[in-house]
């Protein structure tokens, strides 16, 4: 291949960044000293190592059906970013183990659940589930990037950097799985029914894992922490989840596309803040 031909090949729309976090000095309750919210974030972290492997496998499963060279480049970058996310959230377990928090057990439950899903679904159905979960993660990440009243409650600098880096990248690659799904003939009804089923499963897993972590930590009846956590997550005026309802419901709109929710300026601002070159 000549240099001029290589120069004309498409490049991925986003980079793969290698991060090497260490959480040796992280306090157990690193979210404003609060057990509930610290465990809520621990809860989310437990979903990623096997969850993101499922995402990657879902896209790889249909990759040979995709002809668009730009989408192929973006898929490669998506796989690279997700591999880094899995790596860093596995490192997160070092912090958890240091404080007696058994996230590996929760991760294995996710592994078993996703193996069951894989056994009873088609490639396109798994890709539809990945689209749904990617919309969840991108929407949650966008709220974290927009809501400095939330992000500034992360007392630990390494945790802050981890979650904000992850949030940026979830928005950078939020359209890749969706575009792959559409490229292989994915339809509206399969997409939206899968989102509804995935939502029920996601809420059930998050709720069960939260109770497990609080119980194991002896914080299940810490009513003050419950009160703070539920207000942070569900307050109608300032809560994390109520702000997600509108973008979540938008997924059910015919003609929806992830880039309908433009976060480019938000990503740029945070990349500059965290010192990323690209």
């Amino acid at each position: 291949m000549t240099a001029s031909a290589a120069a004309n090949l498409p490049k991925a729309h986003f980079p793969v960044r290698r991060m090497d976090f260490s959480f040796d000095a992280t306090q157990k309750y690193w979210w404003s000293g609060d057990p509930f919210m610290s465990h809520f974030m621990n809860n989310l972290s437990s979903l990623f190592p096997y969850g993101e492997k499922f995402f990657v496998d879902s896209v790889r499963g249909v990759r040979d059906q995709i002809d668009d060279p730009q989408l192929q480049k973006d898929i490669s970058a998506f796989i690279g970013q997700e591999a880094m996310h899995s790596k860093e959230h596995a490192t997160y377990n070092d912090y958890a183990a240091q404080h007696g928090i058994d996230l590996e057990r929760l991760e294995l439950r996710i592994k078993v659940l996703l193996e069951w899903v894989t056994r009873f679904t088609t490639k396109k159905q798994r890709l539809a589930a990945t689209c749904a979960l990617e919309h969840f993660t991108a929407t949650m990440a966008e709220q974290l990037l927009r809501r400095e009243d939330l992000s500034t409650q992360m007392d630990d600098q390494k945790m802050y950097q981890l979650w904000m880096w992850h949030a940026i990248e979830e928005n950078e690659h939020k359209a890749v799985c969706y575009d792959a799904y559409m490229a292989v003939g994915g339809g509206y009804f399969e997409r939206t029914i899968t989102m509804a089923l995935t939502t029920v499963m996601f809420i059930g897993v998050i709720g069960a894992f939260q109770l497990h972590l609080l119980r194991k930590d002896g914080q299940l009846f810490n009513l003050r922490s419950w009160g703070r956590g539920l207000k942070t997550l569900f307050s109608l005026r300032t809560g994390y989840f109520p702000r997600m309802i509108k973008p979540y419901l938008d997924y059910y709109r015919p003609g929806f596309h992830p880039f309908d929710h433009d976060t480019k300026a938000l990503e740029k601002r945070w990349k500059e803040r965290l010192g990323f070159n690209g």
Side-chain angles (χ1 to χ4, degrees):
M1 182 183 295
T2 65
S4 60
N8 290 327
L9 290 175
K11 295 181 179 180
H13 286 112
F14 47 88
V16 178
R17 304 176 182 90
R18 182 175 181 87
M19 310 296 286
D20 292 296
F21 291 108
S22 172
F23 304 106
D24 292 342
T26 300
Q27 297 297 310
K28 184 176 186 178
Y29 303 133
W30 54 269
W31 183 290
S32 291
D34 183 60
F36 187 99
M37 283 305 301
S38 298
H39 282 314
F40 177 74
M41 301 304 286
N42 297 340
N43 184 350
L44 294 180
S45 181
S46 74
L47 307 179
F48 290 121
Y50 286 106
E52 291 182 322
K53 180 182 183 300
F54 177 82
F55 298 169
V56 168
D57 290 345
S58 296
V59 176
R60 279 183 173 150
V62 301
R63 192 171 188 176
D64 60 351
Q65 303 175 44
I66 295 172
D67 298 324
D68 182 355
Q70 181 61 66
L71 183 52
Q72 285 285 357
K73 282 288 186 180
D74 288 343
I75 288 172
S76 293
F78 166 81
I79 290 171
Q81 284 194 343
E82 294 291 46
M84 287 299 103
H85 297 172
S86 294
K87 169 183 172 292
E88 295 307 322
H89 283 279
T91 302
Y92 193 111
N93 288 350
D94 295 341
Y95 141 78
Q98 180 182 348
H99 296 290
I101 304 167
D102 188 7
L103 293 188
E104 290 186 358
R105 178 180 297 182
L106 298 184
E107 288 176 10
L108 289 175
R109 291 178 183 176
I110 294 297
K111 179 176 182 286
V112 170
L113 174 63
L114 293 177
E115 286 175 347
W116 179 85
V117 170
T118 300
R119 181 179 177 184
F120 293 104
T121 54
T122 66
K123 289 182 179 181
K124 192 183 291 185
Q125 287 168 341
R126 292 194 289 277
L127 188 57
T130 297
C131 291
L133 290 165
E134 278 287 298
H135 185 61
F136 266 122
T137 54
T139 302
M140 294 176 75
E142 179 183 350
Q143 287 302 311
L144 196 59
L145 293 172
R146 292 192 185 282
R147 297 284 305 280
E148 293 199 51
D149 59 316
L150 296 176
S151 63
T152 54
Q153 294 185 50
M154 300 185 205
D155 296 332
D156 184 84
Q157 185 64 20
K158 293 295 185 181
M159 284 293 188
Y160 176 82
Q161 291 173 346
L162 167 76
W163 285 105
M164 304 318 287
W165 156 72
H166 194 157
I168 290 168
E169 295 197 346
E170 287 299 332
N171 278 277
E172 284 181 327
H173 69 229
K174 64 185 177 183
V176 174
C177 294
Y178 188 95
D179 288 342
Y181 176 75
M182 298 304 291
V184 299
Y188 171 78
F189 290 106
E190 184 174 47
R191 172 172 69 83
T192 52
I193 290 170
T194 302
M195 171 57 96
L197 294 173
T198 302
T199 300
V200 173
M201 186 177 295
F202 182 81
I203 291 171
V205 168
I206 289 290
F209 282 14
Q210 186 72 7
L211 292 173
H212 173 86
L213 289 169
L214 291 170
R215 181 177 63 82
K216 285 291 188 180
D217 192 28
Q219 299 292 333
L220 187 59
F221 299 105
N222 184 339
L223 299 184
R224 179 174 296 180
S225 183
W226 270 89
R228 285 195 298 262
L230 293 177
K231 181 179 180 181
T232 300
L233 295 178
F234 297 107
S235 168
L236 291 179
R237 188 170 62 87
T238 60
Y240 184 42
F241 285 123
R243 301 280 182 92
M244 291 173 53
I245 293 173
K246 185 175 179 180
Y248 166 77
L249 292 176
D250 195 37
Y251 190 85
Y252 294 91
R253 174 174 53 84
F256 164 84
H257 189 273
F259 283 158
D260 293 341
H261 299 266
D262 186 5
T263 55
K264 294 297 184 185
L266 186 64
E267 294 163 31
K268 182 175 185 293
R269 186 162 72 247
W270 273 100
K271 284 186 282 188
E272 291 172 351
R273 182 177 296 190
L274 295 181
F276 294 157
N277 294 324

